[in-house]
């Protein structure tokens, strides 16, 4: 277990102090009457408890964030102006620096750029869990130069995820899905070690199925990881689907050909077909296990849930997670989007905001941005 992260509550007199807060306001925007506006302000609202508290204590607060991928160049498309407008509607009197990624020094972790950010500030707070797996300048440099602390959301994300891994109420059931085995193999390994049952679904499951000697047609497949999947299956903790929904692969998936018949496959998928969702027997079997859970950690959809023909598996799992009496943690952009799509977001105990950051925290038990805070002087 890592030592605790430093809290900003130890600063007892913030009156008149200048506080720099690294946030993750990388929010979706859309055009309204020719003007870009924030379409989902969840990430901004999530920081309000901290920002309001700092203002109440008399601090002068400046936030900084990355926004999109402008590749080190200022462009109007990636200006934080719409985010600043929304922030000031929700919390007047807070400054927001221009997009950190307008300067190539941000992603290069350039010490000079990092030092330029903290000039004139008294304190630094990292409230950007979703960016803390990246060794970028705004995450790594300020803790070397200013008294620094973890914001309350960052603290909560870390203690919830690590708490579930280190001290779960059992049985601890992990669910992993999504497209690629190679992206999820490391976290699956850790979960096989820590959890009692690991349910594998989504496109990544087909490589596990292939490793069991089944035919998978033209479903997603990663030849380089067959041995790794076979090795994980030997633990007997891993559950894989026993049926699939899919299409004949000469039918053009993705072209929204709603008239194409959806086929239910058993354990084997014919050569001319592909699996795009877990089938009803798998959904029911997985849901039964999830009902018994003491702790649930879910990352990654069970199928191509963006297409309503292949959303049933992900929805069944989302409902089982929502209804389970176990403590439920849902992480990763796609699983969170699925919970929202099925209007079940409020039914889970904890929604982790950082996709890549939650994966890396589970995998490594720590993140570069957290280490920087723990090593901070003052
Ligand atoms: P990831 O980003 O790895 O969590 O993957 C999420 C994506 O995986 C979603 O956009 C799903 O549409 C996709 N996905 C899930 N299951 C399958 C599948 N069986 N075949 C192809 N794509 C899938």
């Amino acid at each position: 277990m890592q030592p605790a992260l430093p809290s900003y509550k130890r600063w007892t007199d913030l009156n008149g102090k200048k506080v720099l807060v690294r946030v993750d306001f990388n929010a979706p925007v859309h055009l309204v009457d020719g003007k870009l506006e924030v379409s989902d302000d969840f990430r901004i609202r999530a920081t309000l408890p901290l920002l309001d508290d700092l203002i109440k204590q008399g601090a002068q607060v400046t936030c900084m964030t990355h926004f999109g991928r402008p590749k080190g160049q200022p462009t109007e498309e990636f200006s934080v102006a719409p985010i600043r407008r929304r922030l000031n509607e929700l919390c007047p009197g807070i400054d927001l620096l221009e997009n950190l990624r307008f300067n190539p020094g941000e992603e290069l972790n350039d010490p000079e750029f990092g030092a330029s950010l903290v000039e004139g500030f008294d304190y630094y707070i990292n409230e950007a869990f979703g960016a803390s797996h990246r060794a970028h300048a705004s995450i790594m440099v300020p803790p070397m130069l200013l008294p620094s602390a973890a914001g309350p959301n960052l603290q909560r994300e870390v203690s919830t995820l690590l708490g579930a891994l280190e001290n779960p109420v059992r049985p601890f059931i992990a669910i992993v899905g999504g497209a690629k085995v190679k992206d999820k193999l490391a976290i699956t390994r850790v979960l096989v070690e820590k959890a009692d049952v690991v349910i594998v679904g989504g496109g990544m499951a087909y490589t596990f199925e292939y490793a069991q000697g089944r035919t998978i047609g033209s479903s997603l497949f990663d030849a380089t990881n067959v041995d790794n999947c076979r090795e994980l299956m030997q633990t007997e903790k891993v559950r894989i689907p026993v049926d699939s929904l899919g299409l004949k692969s000469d039918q053009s998936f993705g072209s929204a050909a709603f008239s194409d018949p959806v086929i239910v496959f058993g354990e084997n998928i014919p050569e001319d077909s592909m699996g795009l969702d877990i089938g009803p027997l798998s959904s029911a079997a997985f849901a039964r296990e999830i009902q018994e859970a003491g702790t649930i950690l879910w990352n990654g959809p069970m199928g191509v849930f963006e297409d309503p023909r292949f959303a049933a598996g992900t929805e069944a799992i989302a409902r089982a997670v929502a209804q389970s009496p176990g403590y439920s943690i849902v992480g990763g952009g796609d699983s969170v989007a699925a919970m929202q799509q099925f209007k079940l977001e409020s039914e889970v105990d904890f929604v982790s905001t950082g996709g890549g950051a939650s994966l890396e925290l589970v995998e490594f038990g720590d993140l570069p941005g957290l280490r920087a805070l723990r090593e901070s002087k003052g």
Side-chain angles (χ1 to χ4, degrees), residues 177-180 184 202-203 206 220 275-277 300-306 334:
K180 295 191 185 127
K184 302 281 169 77
Y206 295 105
L220 281 184
L276 295 159
D277 191 11
M302 296 291 104
V304 183
F305 74 103
E306 302 91 335
D334 281 307

Side-chain angles (χ1 to χ4, degrees), residues 14-306:
L14 286 174
N15 197 20
K17 293 290 194 307
K18 293 190 171 166
V19 182
L20 180 63
V21 186
R22 174 57 157 102
V23 288
D24 179 359
F25 286 168
N26 192 20
V29 291
H30 68 308
L31 273 176
V32 180
D33 298 331
K35 216 163 98 179
L36 281 173
E37 282 192 6
V38 171
S39 41
D40 180 356
D41 61 7
F42 170 79
R43 288 180 174 200
I44 305 176
R45 281 186 287 108
T47 62
L48 294 181
L50 170 66
L51 301 182
D52 286 339
D53 187 31
L54 294 172
I55 297 272
K56 206 172 72 202
Q57 295 189 55
Q60 285 179 46
V61 183
T62 300
C63 292
M64 57 178 177
T65 185
H66 67 285
F67 176 47
R69 296 182 186 276
K71 305 209 169 82
Q73 290 288 334
T75 59
E76 207 183 322
E77 184 192 355
F78 292 113
S79 163
V80 299
I83 298 171
R84 189 184 287 128
R85 270 199 304 279
R86 186 69 191 128
L87 172 65
N88 283 329
E89 283 164 12
L90 293 168
C91 192
I94 303 242
D95 237 358
L96 178 64
L97 300 184
E98 196 35 283
N99 193 344
L100 289 162
R101 290 190 184 163
F102 280 179
N103 190 312
E106 167 65 355
E107 288 173 76
L108 293 171
N109 192 13
D110 173 23
E112 257 175 59
F113 175 63
S116 74
L117 293 171
V118 306
E119 243 165 68
F121 286 95
D122 300 298
Y123 295 112
Y124 168 79
I125 299 175
N126 181 348
E127 184 63 318
F129 174 70
S132 294
H133 59 311
R134 300 204 171 99
H136 290 176
S138 63
I139 298 286
M140 304 305 287
V141 181
M144 293 195 271
L145 304 172
L146 292 180
S148 297
N153 290 332
L154 179 79
Q155 295 263 19
R156 205 170 310 117
E157 290 270 3
V158 173
S159 59
T160 303
L161 281 169
L162 293 185
L165 287 179
E166 295 311 327
N167 207 3
V169 177
R170 293 194 184 270
F172 173 15
I173 304 210
I175 310 157
V176 284
K180 295 191 185 127
V181 180
K182 92 171 160 28
D183 293 349
K184 302 281 169 77
L185 193 69
I187 185 183
T188 307
R189 260 189 212 291
V190 172
L191 292 171
V192 163
E193 200 182 295
K194 306 263 182 189
D196 300 295
V197 168
V198 180
I199 291 171
V200 178
M204 67 179 281
Y206 295 105
T207 305
F208 284 80
E209 295 186 33
Y210 180 92
Q212 293 298 95
R214 301 196 203 160
T215 61
I216 59 166
S218 56
S219 309
L220 281 184
F221 176 59
D222 177 356
T224 59
N225 277 309
V226 172
D227 289 343
N228 289 322
C229 292
R230 191 176 292 121
E231 183 198 321
L232 287 172
M233 292 294 298
Q234 277 163 5
T235 63
E236 293 184 3
K237 287 184 179 179
V238 177
R239 310 281 184 270
I240 58 174
V242 292
D243 58 353
S244 285
L245 298 185
L247 293 173
K248 269 204 162 182
S249 44
D250 56 85
Q251 292 169 334
S252 47
F253 165 68
S255 62
F258 283 92
S259 56
D260 288 349
V262 172
I263 309 167
V264 185
F265 303 110
E267 287 197 350
N268 292 297
I269 297 178
E271 205 168 318
D272 64 353
S273 300
M274 70 194 303
L276 295 159
D277 191 11
I278 59 173
L281 294 176
S282 310
S283 292
F286 293 168
R288 266 197 304 279
E289 294 228 50
I290 293 166
Q291 287 311 316
E292 304 297 317
T295 307
I296 301 163
L297 183 66
W298 180 22
N299 188 302
M302 296 291 104
V304 183
F305 74 103
E306 302 91 335

